[in-house]
Amino acid sequence: MVTLEDIRAAQARIRGMVRETPMRASAGLSEAAGGPVWLKCEHEQETGAFKLRGASNAAAQLGQAAGVTTASTGNHGRALAHAARQLGIPAIICVSRLVPKNKIAAIEALGAEARVTGASQDEAFEEARRLEREEGFALIPPFDHPDVVAGQGTLGLEILGQLPEAAAIAIPLSGGGLLAGVALAAKALKPDIRIIGISMERGAAMAASLAAGHPVEVEELETLADSLGGGIGLENRLTFVLCRDLMDELILLTEDEIAEGIRFLAAEEGETVEGAAAVGAAAVLAGKLRAELGPLVLLLSGRNIDPGLHRAVMEGER
Ligand SMILES: *Cc1c(COP(=O)(O)O)cnc(C)c1O
C-alpha cells in the first residue's frame, strides 16, 4: 500500500526533477460553479503533464536494470523518457497505434525509442512485459504501481500547501494513479476533503469497472480526452481498490462537453490544455459540478494536444 510517508518521501526524492506548478483563481468558472474555483496548472509541468512526478519517483529507485520500459498513451511514456534521460539510463516506450503522432515524436525527441505495437493499450503492454522478461528492462507502468501512485500523490501535498482551505478536488480519471495518489495525500491531511473523479462517457474503463465491482475490459474508443483512454488492467492491484475507496463522486462527460471545456479554458483563461485536462472545467460548464461547499480545485493535468485538433475544437468543428 501507499502511505502519506511514502508520498512525502517521493516529494523529497523528485524535488529538482519536477516543477512546482502554479494555482490560479478562475473568475469565470467561479461564477459558473456558484463558489470559488481554482485551477491547478499542472499542464505547465515539464513534459506537459503530471506523469513526470510518478515516472521520476519510480525511475529514481531502480536498482540494476538494462533500462526502463512502459506502455503508454503518450504522457507517461514521455515522462519516463525524460526521467530516464535525466538519470542517464535507456528507455523503450511501447505505444498502441491509436496514439497521436505528436506524442510519438515527443518521445523520440527525448532520446527514447518509441515502439509502436498493437491496437490497444493492453497489447502494447505485452511488448513491455516481454522486454522485462527477456531483456532485463524494468517495467514502470503508467498508474498501477506504488511508486507511481506516490509520485502523483505529491500533487495532493502541493495543492493543500497552496490552498489549505480547498474543500474539493476534481481529478481527471483513467487508470486512477493520479486520483489514488492525490486522494491518499489530501485525505490524510484533510479527511473531509471531497475527491471527484471525471471521465468521458466513451470507453471509461475505471467507471465500467467500479460499476461491475471488479476490473473489466472496455472497447477503446476515440475521444477528445485521449489521455483518459485505455484499460485499467484485469489484474489491477492497487488503483481500482484505492479509487473505489477514496473517490466520493464520479462524473461522466460527453464529447461536446469536453470540447466546450477546452474552448473555455483557451478563450477565457488563456490556458491551452488537452481534452483530458479540460474535464473539470467541462463538468462545471455542463452544470455537473458546483463549488457551493467551498473552494473547488480543478486539476489541469496536461497540455499535450495535437495543434490541429486544438484548432478544430476552437473553431467548433469537434
Ligand atoms: C494519464 C493522464 C490522466 C489520467 O491519469 P490516471 O492516473 O491514468 O488516472 C489525466 N490527464 C492526463 C493529461 C494524463 O496524461
Side-chain angles (χ1 to χ4, degrees):
M1 268 301 155
V2 181
T3 66
L4 179 61
E5 290 325 303
D6 296 328
I7 298 171
R8 289 213 164 105
Q11 192 176 42
R13 189 176 295 118
I14 67 178
R15 193 167 285 140
M17 293 180 82
V18 304
R19 293 182 192 153
E20 183 172 336
T21 52
M23 182 93 88
R24 297 190 188 112
S26 165
L29 289 169
S30 297
E31 199 183 316
V37 173
W38 292 79
L39 306 178
K40 174 58 172 169
C41 295
E42 184 69 8
H43 60 302
E44 296 178 15
Q45 186 54 260
E46 192 84 38
T47 71
F50 73 89
K51 286 210 172 63
L52 190 59
R53 294 174 185 260
S56 297
N57 188 46
Q61 295 180 76
L62 285 182
Q64 296 279 336
V68 289
T69 186
T70 195
S72 168
T73 54
N75 284 333
H76 173 62
R78 196 165 171 156
L80 191 62
H82 182 82
R85 187 154 77 175
Q86 279 184 311
L87 294 162
I89 52 180
I92 299 179
I93 312 300
C94 307
V95 298
S96 90
R97 290 192 293 270
L98 291 182
V99 171
K101 284 197 190 66
N102 66 318
K103 293 193 172 181
I104 291 173
I107 287 167
E108 287 168 344
L110 290 169
E113 177 188 341
R115 192 165 290 181
V116 180
T117 161
S120 71
Q121 175 85 354
D122 289 344
E123 282 179 37
F125 195 64
E126 283 309 312
E127 172 65 6
R129 276 223 187 83
R130 194 194 61 76
L131 286 166
E132 179 183 48
R133 224 172 30 238
E134 295 173 13
E135 296 185 30
F137 275 65
L139 200 174
I140 299 183
F143 50 86
D144 198 27
H145 187 292
D147 297 338
V148 173
V149 170
Q152 320 306 29
T154 62
L155 256 172
L157 300 180
E158 210 170 288
I159 288 169
L160 283 178
Q162 291 169 315
L163 192 75
E165 62 272 31
I169 307 175
I171 304 171
L173 174 63
S174 179
L178 178 61
L179 190 140
V182 172
L184 275 167
K187 292 204 174 198
L189 298 174
K190 195 170 180 180
D192 61 345
I193 198 161
R194 281 181 65 75
I195 298 293
I196 300 144
I198 313 182
S199 299
M200 65 292 180
E201 282 180 358
R202 289 168 63 85
M206 184 63 82
S209 299
L210 291 169
H214 57 88
V216 296
E217 273 177 8
V218 296
E219 193 191 346
E220 214 172 317
L221 299 167
E222 208 186 323
T223 168
L224 280 175
D226 58 275
S227 290
L228 302 186
I232 70 164
L234 289 179
E235 267 125 64
N236 188 291
R237 288 174 304 157
L238 199 57
T239 59
F240 171 75
V241 168
L242 288 171
C243 289
R244 185 191 66 196
D245 294 349
L246 297 173
M247 183 165 61
D248 296 293
E249 187 185 345
L250 172 62
I251 297 172
L252 298 179
L253 297 173
T254 66
E255 294 299 301
D256 284 351
E257 288 166 346
I258 295 168
E260 193 54 38
I262 294 172
R263 275 192 292 274
F264 187 93
L265 286 170
E268 306 298 326
E269 305 291 338
E271 308 289 0
T272 298
V273 302
E274 57 179 281
V279 294
V284 167
L285 296 169
K288 294 179 175 177
L289 178 59
R290 310 275 305 161
E292 277 150 346
L293 300 176
L296 167 67
V297 177
L298 308 181
L299 207 168
L300 305 191
S301 51
R303 65 159 182 260
N304 294 321
I305 186 168
D306 180 83
L309 175 58
H310 195 263
R311 217 174 302 121
V313 170
M314 294 310 290
E315 287 164 10
E317 291 160 12
R318 284 290 296 266

